[in-house]
Amino acid sequence: MPFEELEHTADVKMRISAPDFLSLLAESGDAMSSVLFGDFAKEPETLTLDIEAEGADTAELVVNFLSELLFLTEVEYLVPMSYSLTKTENGISGTVSGIEFDRAKHAGGICVKGISYSGLSVSETEAGFELTIIFDI
């Protein structure tokens, strides 16, 4: 399983794993979508938006990527479903595709206020990368 929810007293804590760093970002986006929108049926994607993020290190890049993605969910009403990302000199750029939010289909989640640095860890493992992150709700 690419992500799992861990026990946390007040927020949503996740452990996310992927074979490479760009896949880790995509899986972290999927994890946040599961918090925001609950379990929803996949549909053909109808929206594609640009996304960019930079960071001084991998932890800051993850937080900035997820913060930008959270912004797109709130301002563009995007329910993210897939990612096309490439590494840049200081971060990543690419696109995120999905569908427009529909209250009848996507209201099964919890509002995420932000991405926390508290307890954040990104590590390289034998199988790829692992991220532990807290979504502030």
Side-chain angles (χ1 to χ4, degrees), residues 73-95:
T73 66
E74 293 174 354
V75 173
E76 301 292 340
Y77 305 106
L78 175 70
V79 177
M81 294 173 38
S82 69
Y83 306 84
S84 176
L85 304 172
T86 57
K87 292 272 292 164
T88 63
E89 186 176 327
N90 298 323
I92 59 97
S93 69
T95 59

Side-chain angles (χ1 to χ4, degrees), residues 76-121:
E76 301 292 340
Y77 305 106
L78 175 70
V79 177
M81 294 173 38
S82 69
Y83 306 84
S84 176
L85 304 172
T86 57
K87 292 272 292 164
T88 63
E89 186 176 327
N90 298 323
I92 59 97
S93 69
T95 59
V96 55
S97 298
I99 55 178
E100 188 172 330
F101 176 82
D102 179 334
R103 184 176 306 280
K105 298 175 186 177
H106 308 118
I110 304 166
C111 179
V112 172
K113 295 186 291 185
I115 315 306
S116 179
Y117 278 99
S118 175
L120 178 70
S121 73

Side-chain angles (χ1 to χ4, degrees), residues 20-33:
D20 58 71
F21 185 69
L22 293 177
S23 297
L24 184 72
L25 292 175
E27 292 296 345
S28 66
D30 288 347
M32 187 170 72
S33 289

Side-chain angles (χ1 to χ4, degrees), residues 2-135:
F3 63 87
E4 65 177 315
E5 188 170 348
L6 303 173
E7 189 173 321
H8 192 274
T9 55
D11 295 312
V12 177
K13 183 176 184 180
M14 294 275 200
R15 180 182 303 126
I16 303 158
S17 57
D20 58 71
F21 185 69
L22 293 177
S23 297
L24 184 72
L25 292 175
E27 292 296 345
S28 66
D30 288 347
M32 187 170 72
S33 289
S34 75
V35 174
L36 286 167
F37 307 113
D39 189 24
F40 60 92
K42 300 294 183 193
E43 299 176 32
E45 297 164 355
T46 56
L47 295 172
T48 298
L49 301 169
D50 293 331
I51 190 165
E52 293 182 7
E54 293 184 348
D57 57 28
T58 55
E60 183 178 53
L61 179 56
V62 168
V63 170
N64 290 345
F65 169 76
L66 289 170
S67 296
E68 182 65 20
L69 184 61
L70 183 59
F71 174 81
L72 292 175
T73 66
E74 293 174 354
V75 173
E76 301 292 340
Y77 305 106
L78 175 70
V79 177
M81 294 173 38
S82 69
Y83 306 84
S84 176
L85 304 172
T86 57
K87 292 272 292 164
T88 63
E89 186 176 327
N90 298 323
I92 59 97
S93 69
T95 59
V96 55
S97 298
I99 55 178
E100 188 172 330
F101 176 82
D102 179 334
R103 184 176 306 280
K105 298 175 186 177
H106 308 118
I110 304 166
C111 179
V112 172
K113 295 186 291 185
I115 315 306
S116 179
Y117 278 99
S118 175
L120 178 70
S121 73
V122 182
S123 57
E124 197 163 354
T125 67
E126 287 184 19
F129 283 83
E130 185 173 281
L131 166 67
T132 302
I133 194 161
I134 295 173
F135 299 112

